[in-house]
Amino acid sequence: GAGVSQSPSNKVTEKGKDVELRCDPISGHTALYWYRQSLGQGLEFLIYFQGNSAPDKSGLPSDRFSAERTGGSVSTLTIQRTQQEDSAVYLCASSLGQARAEAFFGQGTRLTVV
Amino acid sequence: GENVEQHPSTLSVQEGDSAVIKCTYSDSASNYFPWYKQELGKRPQLIIDIRSNVGEKKDQRIAVTLNKTAKHFSLHITETQPEDSAVYFCAASNYQLIWGAGTKLIIKP
């Protein structure tokens, strides 16, 4: 595709349920980032992939959060046993993974836990 | 690891005046410094970037300066307009982008 694609755009889930958020990066982009953004707040780093490996997963807030990337392309962020405080916009970004490479963001997934 | 600090968190300027946002970084190996603009309800988008081999870059009303010795870089917006109202994020990168906390820029009519 022409840009970074995230699905779904919106997700409403009940507290305690598991959710999966998907990110399709730009073709050829080896670096992929997941961020969480609450209303009016900054970009909270979650995890960074280079290819299929995650050299930095220091931002994952708890063991309920996990992410994987397969084939160096699509990534899935999974939140288990969702809590109300997980409600936020989850943004994915990708870049060529080289030094000095621009990152492109997806439109985000707005997650609401009720 | 890298740490990026951004100031101020909120900046309010009169339309037509200039705005300056500053960032400092900790890792001297960082060599790429982009600035992103995020309008309300939209995704962040790159507005300008600078690489470590130059000290200044300009694109119409926006400019970025880099002081590698002091490890800080700044975004300058001149002749501000209402459409400049947004949140601006700086970042520093060697390979992994590390972000500042953001600056909410308010342009007063």
Side-chain angles (χ1 to χ4, degrees), chain A residues 63-107:
Chain A
D63 58 8
R64 295 187 297 106
F65 288 72
S66 63
E68 65 175 14
R69 189 179 185 196
T70 55
S73 181
V74 172
S75 177
T76 302
L77 176 69
T78 301
I79 309 173
Q80 296 179 311
R81 305 182 302 281
T82 51
Q83 304 294 313
Q84 288 187 329
E85 59 263 30
D86 299 335
S87 296
V89 174
Y90 289 81
L91 287 164
C92 172
S94 73
S95 79
L96 283 170
Q98 305 162 0
R100 311 176 181 183
E102 177 184 354
F104 295 84
F105 283 83
Q107 82 281 13

Side-chain angles (χ1 to χ4, degrees), chain A residues 33 35 37 42 45 48 56 97 99-103 105-107, chain B residues 31-32 36 38 43-44 46 51-52 89 94-97 99 101:
Chain A
Y33 303 81
Y35 300 95
Q37 189 172 41
F45 167 76
Y48 160 60
D56 188 353
R100 311 176 181 183
E102 177 184 354
F105 283 83
Q107 82 281 13
Chain B
N31 54 22
Y32 175 61
Y36 282 70
Q38 187 178 27
R43 75 190 79 183
L46 180 73
R51 289 158 173 79
S52 58
F89 293 98
N94 187 359
Y95 279 87
Q96 179 180 348
L97 282 165
W99 296 87

Side-chain angles (χ1 to χ4, degrees), chain B residues 22-63:
Chain B
K22 299 181 180 180
C23 288
T24 60
Y25 62 100
S26 60
D27 186 354
S28 56
S30 290
N31 54 22
Y32 175 61
F33 308 92
W35 286 89
Y36 282 70
K37 176 183 181 182
Q38 187 178 27
E39 297 177 349
L40 192 62
K42 298 193 175 180
R43 75 190 79 183
Q45 292 195 301
L46 180 73
I47 54 171
I48 194 167
D49 57 14
I50 191 167
R51 289 158 173 79
S52 58
N53 55 342
V54 298
E56 185 174 357
K57 182 177 179 181
K58 190 172 182 181
D59 182 3
Q60 300 183 342
R61 294 187 298 108
I62 60 173

Side-chain angles (χ1 to χ4, degrees), chain B:
Chain B
E2 176 67 282
N3 181 52
V4 177
E5 294 191 358
Q6 182 172 346
H7 300 280
S9 57
T10 304
L11 178 61
S12 184
V13 301
Q14 205 70 37
E15 181 179 350
D17 288 350
S18 295
V20 181
I21 303 170
K22 299 181 180 180
C23 288
T24 60
Y25 62 100
S26 60
D27 186 354
S28 56
S30 290
N31 54 22
Y32 175 61
F33 308 92
W35 286 89
Y36 282 70
K37 176 183 181 182
Q38 187 178 27
E39 297 177 349
L40 192 62
K42 298 193 175 180
R43 75 190 79 183
Q45 292 195 301
L46 180 73
I47 54 171
I48 194 167
D49 57 14
I50 191 167
R51 289 158 173 79
S52 58
N53 55 342
V54 298
E56 185 174 357
K57 182 177 179 181
K58 190 172 182 181
D59 182 3
Q60 300 183 342
R61 294 187 298 108
I62 60 173
V64 57
T65 58
L66 171 65
N67 183 327
K68 287 199 69 181
T69 302
K71 288 191 278 189
H72 67 71
F73 56 111
S74 300
L75 177 70
H76 304 253
I77 306 174
T78 59
E79 301 171 12
T80 52
Q81 300 171 3
E83 55 264 34
D84 295 330
S85 293
V87 177
Y88 292 80
F89 293 98
C90 67
S93 172
N94 187 359
Y95 279 87
Q96 179 180 348
L97 282 165
I98 306 298
W99 296 87
T103 296
K104 182 176 182 179
L105 177 61
I106 301 166
I107 308 300
K108 297 180 291 185

